[in-house]
Amino acid sequence: MLQVEARSADPVARHLALGVLRLDEQLREFGALGGSGPPPLAVSSRDVYMAESVRLLRRLHPADRLVLLQHNGHLQRVPLQLMPGVRIRTCGTYLTAELGDDYRAIGITAVSGSTTTVGLDEDARHGIVVGGQELDAPDPDGIEAALAADAPVLTDLRPRRGTPGPSSIRHAHITSRVDVAAGYDGIVCLPTMSPAFTG
């Protein structure tokens, strides 16, 4: 890694080179999850790199506010349950530790509709094809069921921290178990959503 970073004095070029290494690390981590005894709190190099990207942007533009768009699970303030018994530190956990209340995690979800999904395809560009997938019915204990309405809803969850409440949120096409009020500062819940594909 040090050899790759030393080839350029440009911090953006170094960061992009680091991204290649983080991707390699992420693929190795996925492989390790299939082995015996994965750690209960795993590292996600992708989330580490997302947080590093924010750090770089803050150094380059210290006076600016940043808006970071990610799937809900990556931005939440608490670790993401990847599978039973395995949680990962999210980009949001790193940013929460560094920025405290200056970091705002606003989840976006929907009661119904469809979302994007990806799959492997040797004939597709970069070997990955992006498609659509219908959303399952909301989890009765989830934030989507709690906020279901005929119009978009924006709710501030900060006053609800530490009290029982919704215990899941959509993360792309899956439902992720999380104390929603602990994981997010606010939620935007749409009656329905669908991806916009460009050709």
Side-chain angles (χ1 to χ4, degrees):
M1 180 166 54
L2 294 175
Q3 291 176 343
V4 174
E5 290 185 4
R7 293 182 184 178
S8 175
D10 180 352
V12 174
R14 288 197 315 269
H15 183 69
L16 293 174
L18 179 61
V20 173
L21 297 172
R22 291 292 190 214
L23 174 60
D24 179 70
E25 290 173 351
Q26 182 76 52
L27 294 174
R28 292 173 193 271
E29 291 160 8
F30 284 151
L33 287 175
S36 61
L41 186 58
V43 172
S44 166
S45 291
R46 179 170 50 171
D47 285 88
V48 169
Y49 185 67
M50 287 186 237
E52 289 168 340
S53 298
V54 172
R55 286 186 205 109
L56 174 63
L57 290 170
R58 292 184 71 229
R59 279 196 310 272
L60 296 175
H61 307 282
D64 292 347
R65 287 187 175 189
L66 300 176
V67 177
L68 182 64
L69 302 177
Q70 301 175 313
H71 280 127
N72 288 333
H74 296 292
L75 67 86
Q76 69 187 36
R77 291 175 157 276
V78 296
L80 170 67
Q81 183 173 318
L82 193 59
M83 59 181 64
V86 178
R87 297 177 306 137
I88 62 168
R89 290 181 181 94
T90 64
C91 175
T93 62
Y94 295 113
L95 296 178
T96 296
E98 294 171 27
L99 303 174
D101 289 338
D102 286 340
Y103 175 67
R104 294 283 187 256
I106 311 295
I108 301 176
T109 190
V111 178
S112 65
S114 60
T115 189
T116 54
T117 188
V118 295
L120 301 177
D121 183 345
E122 291 181 3
D123 297 325
R125 185 172 184 235
H126 304 301
I128 296 175
V129 63
V130 178
Q133 181 167 331
E134 291 297 312
L135 296 173
D136 292 334
D139 176 358
D141 297 325
I143 192 70
E144 295 83 10
L147 298 179
D150 294 332
V153 175
L154 169 61
T155 187
D156 183 352
L157 295 174
R158 291 169 296 177
R160 301 177 189 185
R161 289 204 176 123
T163 61
S167 58
S168 73
I169 190 171
R170 295 193 194 278
H171 172 75
H173 65 281
I174 63 172
T175 296
S176 178
R177 308 305 307 177
V178 65
D179 176 343
V180 178
Y184 301 87
D185 296 292
I187 296 290
V188 175
C189 186
L190 307 173
T192 189
M193 70 177 183
S194 61
F197 293 100
T198 57

